[in-house]
Amino acid sequence: MLLRPLLIAAALAAPFAAPAQTADTEARVIVRFKAHADSVRAKALGLRATFEEAGEIAQTRATALGLRQGQRLSAGLSLDERTHVVTATGLSSAALARRLAADPEVEMVAVDGRRKHLSAALPPNDPLFGGVMPAPTAYIGMFYDAGDPSANPPVAPKLQPTYSRTIDQWYLKAPSTVTSGGSATGEVVSNINVLPAWGLTTGASSVVVAVLDTGVRRDHPDFIASNGTSQFLSGYDMIGATPASAGSTATAIANRPANADLTLALDYGDWVSQADIDSGKLGSGCTSADIDNSSWHGTRVSGLIAALANNGLGMSGVAPGVRILPVRVLGKCGGYDSDIIAGMRWAVGLAVPGLPANPNKAKVLNMSLGGSGSCAASDATGALYRDAVAQVNAQGATVVVAAGNSEGQAVGLPGNCPGVVTVTALRHVGTKVGFASLGPEVSLAAPGGNCVNLAVGYPCLYTMVSTTNSGATTPVANDASYTMGNASVGTSFSAPIVSGVVALMASVRPALTSAEATAALRRTARPFPTTGGGSASSATPPACVAPSSAKQDECYCTTSTCGAGMADAAAAVAAAQALNAATVTVTPSSSSLTATQSATLTAAISGLAAGKTVVSTNWTLLDGGTAVSGFSGGAGTATVSLTPSAAGSFTVQADLTDSDGLVHSQAASFSVAAAPVQAPAGGGGGGGGAASAAWLAALLAAALALRRSARG
């Protein structure tokens, strides 16, 4: 795990005894204090606090915590009012987590781990989009093979057939059964069929997709319109973004120039060299296995979602009309959980202490990143991600996550969290790509790129064409490069395909919720094929099975391993648009709700197509405020019951599933009046507020009379 030291104010750096553990190690954890802890109640941390205020309050809490534990602690990024990154030296992160978890003021502690990127309209005129569906191969002539004179016996020179195949955006087109007389490429069936969806919308500019990744190259020409406007909005660079979280390791991970504009969320390159490893500046979580050139991963993901269309240049994104909110959370050797979780909250407009407000609230979050771990509520890191996903969903946004590239093993964190759309990768023939993870957490599958070579020395076919930069380490300015080679594959590129589809859905259904998007994607997915996999040189693939420690390469997907089916953009967008015909209403049992008095809310729907019925209802408390902490019954029925505990307001959401499997959502907010004041016991006239008031008035009159009498 890569750890980074954090700066602290000298005034708060109280002396501590030197730890007995091994030196030159750093521990990094996320600490959530209890809501009623003395250090939290002593001074509240406002969500709109400045960098300095947030850092001071977090460090005060960390210092007090460290004094109780006999460990010098430094505070970093604050995720919310009572959750902070805390670091120490001289022990491991796991040891620090165990020690701090025993403190009476601490609600939970999680090791701050690392995630890494996983690696009916007319067709647009973008050259790399290509034809509607060209024949996969075409014989065009011969080339001279020099043979191998050193072989025994020598291989004589000979003529070899050559092939021509345009490497294009095959994954956006309609499924095809064209095989060119049985060519080696096989049927092309996993395409998402986006052209009919573009007949409804190419994406509304009001829809924002947040890309939580390595940052972006804003100067790529395929993101800049002819009038000079950019597909990229102002975002944020979360890596070491606050003064409290700056430090040598954070600086090395961010690889960012001094005084850089954090709102640009630029990708400065994430290459790792042997010199980086030898220096130790990237922390213990970075090893020689991470040595590589810069990936420009965030730019590649962004291009798949929203590269401009019909500009006569390069390619087209799935939703070329929407906007991208870049949120940089990954740098050299990946990114910390704390930066990712803070980035999730910030992307949807939730306040993060010490960070400026986000004026561009995202409707979709793409997270082509991940790592090992469980999202179980009993796991501290998992609980933090579960909370973040729930908060994002409550804001009306959908989280799309890559399943991972563990070669058929289980989906990792955060792809195994409830409330996210998890996407695995398909080959062009519809089988699971060998590298892709699988399991019951997967929602559906989409093209992820694969390699088919038609002749020796020819490039891989069926890779994922997208925007990139040609710089091996640092970026090349204004570079109009595109991915065309063998590296353009991964579930990292399946996820943005689906994120683009969800953005199109939100363009025709502005109130789209995560529950609606998930149900529509699953309901409209096409069935997985059961034939056509493998090749003449490989065996027929087996059926995919539940993940275990054994690896699974190409296999025929099932609904228990690869999700509901193959993503279909046209059908999903049409389903989202159809949701507008129905209206869900949420009605309270009383026009005025009062604290301490029980109440009910009833959900009903009108406008369903003939023959459709509601088969289930699910209620979610989006925001209880000070009034409601939960439901008292009926959360899975048409009527839910609750008892507000105090005055205030609360917001609920009702999700009604119809007989076609589509979800119709409606959020509703209600105000709660204070409970009536109870009269003191023992009053005359039967007691009660009025009698008590009369008794007090009589007592006051008598006192005044006595006072006048004394003066007289």
Side-chain angles (χ1 to χ4, degrees), residues 572-613:
V573 174
Q577 187 177 57
L579 293 176
N580 294 327
T583 302
V584 176
T585 56
V586 178
T587 307
S589 55
S590 172
S591 59
S592 59
L593 303 181
T594 305
T596 73
Q597 296 183 6
S598 62
T600 60
L601 305 174
T602 302
I605 192 169
S606 60
L608 282 179
K612 288 187 181 181
T613 59

Side-chain angles (χ1 to χ4, degrees), residues 201 203-210 231 233 306 319 321-325 361-364 499-500 502-510:
T201 181
S205 61
S206 59
V207 173
V208 177
V209 181
Q231 291 294 83
L233 299 165
V322 306
R323 307 292 292 279
I324 296 290
L325 177 76
K361 180 178 176 180
K363 189 66 176 177
V364 186
S499 290
V502 177
L504 293 177
M505 296 166 70
S507 297
V508 298
R509 167 78 169 167

Side-chain angles (χ1 to χ4, degrees), residues 177-241:
T177 58
V178 174
T179 61
S180 274
S183 86
T185 61
E187 297 182 350
V188 185
V189 300
S190 64
N191 324 48
I192 67 166
N193 193 28
V194 79
L195 282 172
W198 285 347
L200 299 175
T201 181
T202 55
S205 61
S206 59
V207 173
V208 177
V209 181
V211 174
L212 280 73
D213 217 290
T214 63
V216 296
R217 293 308 309 166
R218 290 174 173 266
D219 56 358
H220 194 293
D222 223 349
F223 295 110
I224 304 172
S226 59
N227 63 2
T229 60
S230 173
Q231 291 294 83
F232 295 116
L233 299 165
S234 293
Y236 209 74
D237 188 338
M238 293 283 167
I239 307 174

Side-chain angles (χ1 to χ4, degrees), residues 414-674:
N416 54 24
C417 289
V420 305
V421 175
T422 301
V423 186
T424 196
L426 299 175
R427 299 179 74 243
H428 66 292
V429 294
T431 50
K432 184 195 79 71
V433 186
F435 55 73
S437 305
L438 48 68
E441 303 90 351
V442 176
S443 305
L444 78 166
N450 58 278
C451 186
V452 173
N453 295 111
L454 297 179
V456 176
Y458 274 62
C460 288
L461 306 183
Y462 302 109
T463 59
M464 306 297 285
V465 176
S466 192
T467 47
T468 190
N469 191 279
S470 61
T473 55
T474 57
V476 174
N478 306 310
D479 188 23
S481 291
Y482 298 86
T483 59
M484 303 290 287
N486 300 351
S488 305
V489 298
T491 57
S492 276
F493 309 123
S494 305
I497 293 294
V498 173
S499 290
V501 174
V502 177
L504 293 177
M505 296 166 70
S507 297
V508 298
R509 167 78 169 167
L512 184 77
T513 67
S514 178
E516 290 177 337
T518 303
L521 288 168
R522 294 178 62 88
R523 174 68 180 79
T524 59
R526 301 192 309 274
F528 294 116
T530 56
T531 60
S535 67
S537 61
S538 63
T540 300
C544 302
V545 298
S548 65
S549 59
K551 294 183 177 180
Q552 299 183 67
D553 292 321
E554 182 186 5
C555 55
Y556 287 115
C557 283
T558 67
T559 54
S560 62
T561 54
C562 303
M566 301 185 292
D568 189 308
V573 174
Q577 187 177 57
L579 293 176
N580 294 327
T583 302
V584 176
T585 56
V586 178
T587 307
S589 55
S590 172
S591 59
S592 59
L593 303 181
T594 305
T596 73
Q597 296 183 6
S598 62
T600 60
L601 305 174
T602 302
I605 192 169
S606 60
L608 282 179
K612 288 187 181 181
T613 59
V614 174
V615 296
S616 67
T617 302
N618 182 71
W619 294 86
T620 303
L621 181 63
L622 298 181
D623 184 2
T626 59
V628 177
S629 58
F631 301 122
S632 54
T637 66
T639 299
V640 69
S641 57
L642 50 87
T643 303
S645 59
S649 62
F650 65 94
T651 303
V652 300
Q653 179 173 299
D655 297 319
L656 283 65
T657 304
D658 67 24
S659 49
D660 278 349
L662 296 177
V663 171
H664 307 258
S665 300
Q666 181 61 56
S669 298
F670 300 94
S671 297
V672 178

